[in-house]
């Protein structure tokens, strides 16, 4: 039982729908048809008068691994509660003890969305759900719902390898991590993304729910209903087994969860046969970074510092190297790698290592000369990047020599630049990084570059507040979208400096002998990438470099969650940005570009071809498409645990995402229980009276509706 709240009137309820008038001899059937016709015509209109939908929300959903379920869910029919606004901790007393109308649906101020408050709410039956607002400005003390020791147990350190570094014993990398994302809540939690919708809820609360003179408010009360019922329960082992049984024995299987998966993006400086094998004696330097992020809420993962700053720098370094004239003469090849799913126990990197070990990838682990990883490289005020290495593998003399050479080359490459590279220390372990998955398989010389020596400088790691503001991206007021795209920010300049140092070091490491002063990353390109990956994906540059058939991926607000449907928009865009920056425009027709096998000189085994939209013609609204040839490829980023059907694995990631039927939120006015009962009883009484009346009318229909005799007629 509910009523509409606000200024919505009753106009247009009936519309133009009309029910046919019943014939006298079929009164009962006619009444039924009339009711059904009116209901079908007016049902949606009635719902709009009762409920106000909340359209700009993001839910907390359920994720599962080999041992746990985390996240949130509602009951199968949604959870409902009377709204109470909580803007300071004292307001919780009304919800937890004093309020006379439980359960409550809390509108929680973003500054109170922390572990201490959430665990209080988790332990009571007086709460049916939460709607959380975004704190503005971001919480100054920091906010990270991730773990203090990210990806613990799936890196290289364990009881058998560097036990003194296992479980972050030496360094707690994410000290502000609350672990909130890894709790299991049995009520729904939604993020309110639209300030206008938040204000509507607060106004409804002010009009109906504010306590008067210390006593509870009177009915009707403003209520909220949240729908986010999850199909999967317990853990990945359980949900995958159920899905597998359904797929085996059911004609219409109902899958309850899906593995987190996507694709890694990789490219080489010198082309290689992607379907063959690189010669065992050929050495390759791997440059790596991650392209995914995460937060408490589904598909809210801006990842400005945790992911975007690193992969944008990586892309800029790749472009700078491809412009060098003698790259084809380098002694060693360079492979640019962008891993997906690293947030969830290294999905992408563990899969690439697995494929290399099983000869399912062009490279083998033996081909790897060294490893350079970019990991949170947005510069702070001191303009220092720290070089982290693995102290355990460096105990091997040959590895130590190669690591020392790598560190020297990186340090020398920063001479004269506005960024300084310093070694973190021999006894310092590696931070959470993809490189750890490669070290689990083989002792490889490698370095992880970060902006922190010990704990993360990023106070918003894996949170919705890891936004452009977190890496100090600032634009002058009044710029148009096109001007903002082209504006070179201070952040873009500093990341271009980092990309320049990395590109010069890689050139030296690959055997380059020429002067490196000409190797320079382009700040303008970095600016475009930062704008596209952090502010607005649907911009003119991204539109021009993608295929026409995938232009639908360009949403407004970029998010970098790995998800279960692949490739996600981030993967596509990294792929096509990399192709644009490192590829070559070739003179092929559309048909030749789309079918390179039919073109004798295409070298399809060595290159990938893409027919992209191109820029708008200045004199018309049409685009000028063209063909791009590049060495950019995709490889599967699905945990080997699912390939091997080892759903309880402790070696590989086992993260899955529950399926759901619907995600939605709405508010409405709710009447008192007494009024609802009275309404129900009166309704039942009217129904019984109507049925009895209809029965007697139908039984006496021949008398009530008999046709009178014609008085002029005479019978003989």
């Amino acid at each position: 039982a509910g009523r509409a709240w606000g200024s919505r009137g009753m106009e247009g309820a009936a519309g133009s729908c009309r029910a046919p008038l019943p014939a006298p001899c079929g009164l009962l059937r006619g009444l039924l048809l009339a009711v059904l016709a009116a209901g079908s015509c007016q049902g949606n209109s009635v719902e709009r008068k009762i409920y106000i939908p909340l359209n700009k929300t993001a839910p907390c959903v359920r994720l599962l691994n080999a041992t746990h379920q985390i996240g949130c869910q509602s009951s199968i029919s949604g959870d409902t509660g009377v709204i109470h606004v909580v803007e300071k901790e004292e307001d919780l007393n009304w919800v937890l003890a004093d309020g006379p109308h439980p359960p409550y649906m809390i509108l929680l101020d973003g500054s109170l969305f922390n572990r201490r408050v959430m665990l209080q709410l988790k332990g009571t039956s007086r709460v049916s759900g939460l709607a959380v607002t975004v704190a503005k400005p971001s919480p100054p003390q920091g906010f990270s719902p991730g773990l203090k020791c990210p990806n613990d147990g799936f890196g290289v350190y364990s009881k058998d390898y560097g036990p003194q570094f296992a479980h972050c014993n030496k360094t707690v990398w994410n000290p502000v991590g609350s672990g909130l994302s890894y709790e299991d809540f049995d009520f729904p939690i939604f993020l309110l993304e639209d300030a206008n919708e938040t204000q509507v809820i607060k106004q409804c609360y002010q009009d109906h729910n504010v306590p008067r003179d210390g006593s509870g408010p009177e009915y009707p009360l403003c209520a909220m209903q949240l729908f986010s019922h999850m199909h999967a329960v317990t853990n990945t082992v359980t949900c995958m087994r159920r899905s597998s049984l359904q797929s085996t024995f059911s004609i219409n299987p109902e899958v309850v969860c899906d593995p987190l998966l996507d694709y890694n993006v990789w490219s080489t400086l010198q082309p290689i046969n992607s379907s063959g094998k690189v010669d065992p004696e050929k050495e390759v330097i791997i440059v790596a970074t991650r392209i995914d992020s995460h937060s408490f809420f589904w598909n809210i993962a801006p990842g400005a510092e945790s992911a975007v700053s690193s992969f944008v720098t990586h892309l800029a370094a790749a472009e700078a190297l491809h412009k060098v004239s003698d790259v084809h003469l380098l002694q060693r090849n360079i492979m640019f790698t962008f891993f997906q799913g690293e947030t969830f126990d290294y999905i992408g990197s563990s899969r690439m290592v697995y494929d290399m070990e099983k000869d399912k990838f062009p490279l083998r682990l033996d081909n790897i000369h060294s490893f350079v990883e970019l990991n949170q490289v947005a510069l702070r005020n001191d303009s220092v990047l720290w070089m982290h290495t693995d102290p355990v593998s460096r105990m091997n003399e040959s590895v130590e020599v190669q690591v020392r050479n790598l560190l020297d080359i990186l340090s020398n490459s920063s001479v004269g630049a506005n960024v300084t590279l310093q070694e973190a220390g021999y006894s310092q372990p590696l931070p959470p990084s993809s490189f750890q998955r490669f070290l689990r398989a083989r002792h490889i010389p490698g370095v992880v570059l970060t902006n922190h020596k010990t704990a993360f400088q990023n106070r918003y790691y894996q949170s919705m507040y890891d936004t452009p503001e977190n890496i100090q991206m600032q634009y002058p007021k009044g710029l148009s979208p096109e001007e903002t795209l082209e504006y070179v920010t201070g952040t873009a300049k500093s990341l271009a400096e980092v990309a320049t140092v990395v590109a010069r070091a890689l050139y030296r490491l690959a055997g380059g002998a020429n002067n490196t002063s000409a190797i320079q990353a382009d700040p303008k390109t970095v600016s475009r990438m930062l704008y596209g990956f952090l502010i607005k994906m649907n911009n003119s540059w991204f539109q021009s470099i993608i295929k026409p058939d995938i232009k639908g991926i360009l949403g407004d607000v970029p998010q970098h969650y790995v998800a279960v449907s692949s490739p996600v928009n981030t993967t596509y865009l990294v792929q096509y940005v990399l192709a644009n920056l490192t590829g070559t425009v070739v003179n092929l027709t559309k048909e030749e570009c789309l079918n390179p096998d039919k073109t004798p000189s295409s070298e399809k085994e060595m290159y990938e071809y893409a027919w992209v939209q191109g820029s708008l013609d200045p004199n018309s609204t049409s685009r000028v498409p063209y063909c791009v040839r590049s060495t950019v490829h995709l490889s599967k980023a699905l945990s080997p645990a699912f390939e091997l059907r080892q759903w309880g694995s402790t070696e590989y990631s086992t993260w899955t995402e529950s399926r759901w039927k619907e995600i939605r939120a709405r508010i409405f006015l709710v009447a008192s229980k007494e009024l609802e009962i009275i309404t129900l009883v009166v309704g039942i009484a009217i129904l019984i009276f109507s049925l009895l009346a209809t029965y007697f009318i139908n039984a006496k229909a021949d008398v009530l509706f008999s046709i009178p005799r014609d008085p002029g007629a005479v019978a003989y």
Side-chain angles (χ1 to χ4, degrees), residues 151-216:
N151 291 357
D152 185 25
F154 290 87
V156 68
Y157 302 113
S158 66
K159 60 182 177 62
D160 301 317
Y161 187 99
Q164 69 272 29
F165 305 125
H167 312 300
C168 296
N169 287 334
K170 181 77 174 181
T171 305
V172 177
W173 295 106
N174 186 29
V176 298
S178 65
L180 196 58
S181 288
Y182 296 84
E183 291 288 334
D184 182 37
F185 296 93
D186 59 358
F187 51 77
I189 304 175
F190 278 52
L191 177 69
L192 299 174
E193 300 181 78
D194 188 343
N196 292 328
E197 289 187 344
T198 302
Q199 190 55 44
V200 167
I201 299 170
K202 287 184 176 180
Q203 189 60 51
C204 184
Y205 168 79
Q206 291 290 336
D207 292 345
H208 299 278
N209 293 15
V210 174
R212 311 292 179 187
D213 301 323
S215 61

Side-chain angles (χ1 to χ4, degrees), residues 279-285 331-334 367-369:
D279 292 338
E281 66 275 6
K282 183 66 177 177
E283 293 183 322
V284 179
I285 302 161
Q331 177 186 350
R332 302 180 183 94
N333 203 350
I334 299 174
N367 292 117
I368 301 176
H369 170 268

Side-chain angles (χ1 to χ4, degrees), residues 365-394:
L365 289 169
D366 292 340
N367 292 117
I368 301 176
H369 170 268
S370 51
F371 199 105
V372 178
E373 181 170 351
L374 306 180
N375 191 335
Q376 299 192 88
V377 295
L379 293 177
R380 300 294 176 173
N381 296 329
D382 52 8
S383 296
V384 175
L385 282 184
W386 296 93
M387 300 180 291
H388 299 263
T389 57
D390 173 41
V392 180
S393 61
R394 289 181 68 177

